[in-house]
Amino acid sequence: VQLVESGGDFVQTGESLRLSCATSGFNFDGFFITWFHRAPGKEREEVSSINNKDGRTTYEDSVKGRFTVSSDYAKNSVYLEMNFLKPEDTGNYYCAAGPASLWSMRPRLAAIHYWGRGTLVTVSE
């Protein structure tokens, strides 16, 4: 099983980034993918999730209207489109996968089976 993030970069406030999560080794259609954010010195937090079985999505309040999560079933990949970036968006972003049957489990972290290694986003003021 592999989840490989890419797309992290150094940007200015207000700019955009697109993160990618390329997956392999598990049944993509039967899993949900969650993007987690770990800001410097803080705990890892859920940002957004997409259920590949039925297309449902969730967003953390601070990113609603700015971030969009999507899946490409042909490429077994998930994307996080990040617009109007803020300095508080700085940190490592991880994609993680859990079975779609555990979509309703909270905290989401408890339902995760597989993790990527992360990609770094830095937003300067």
Side-chain angles (χ1 to χ4, degrees):
V1 173
Q2 282 194 316
L3 292 90
V4 181
E5 303 92 336
S6 62
D9 205 344
F10 182 99
V11 296
Q12 305 289 326
T13 295
E15 293 185 338
S16 299
L17 280 175
R18 187 192 195 210
L19 304 185
S20 299
C21 173
T23 77
S24 62
F26 63 94
N27 177 25
F28 185 78
D29 292 9
F31 275 68
F32 69 84
I33 304 293
T34 294
W35 286 96
F36 288 90
H37 170 222
R38 176 176 279 162
K42 296 188 177 180
E43 294 292 320
R44 184 170 39 191
E45 294 182 336
E46 178 184 354
V47 173
S48 181
S49 296
I50 184 164
N51 187 330
N52 287 333
K53 190 170 184 179
D54 58 19
R56 282 183 288 175
T57 59
T58 61
Y59 295 93
E60 192 267 329
D61 285 345
S62 69
V63 306
K64 285 180 181 176
R66 298 191 299 126
F67 291 9
T68 303
V69 64
S70 62
S71 289
D72 184 331
Y73 294 86
K75 296 183 179 179
N76 285 356
S77 294
V78 174
Y79 307 98
L80 186 67
E81 188 73 35
M82 310 165 72
N83 298 313
F84 305 108
L85 283 161
K86 305 175 182 180
E88 51 263 45
D89 296 320
T90 292
N92 281 293
Y93 284 78
Y94 303 87
C95 64
S101 58
L102 300 182
W103 172 254
S104 298
M105 180 176 286
R106 295 295 184 275
R108 185 85 74 189
L109 203 62
I112 298 298
H113 285 198
Y114 310 119
W115 287 92
R117 293 188 174 185
T119 187
L120 178 63
V121 172
T122 304
V123 185
S124 70
E125 299 198 26

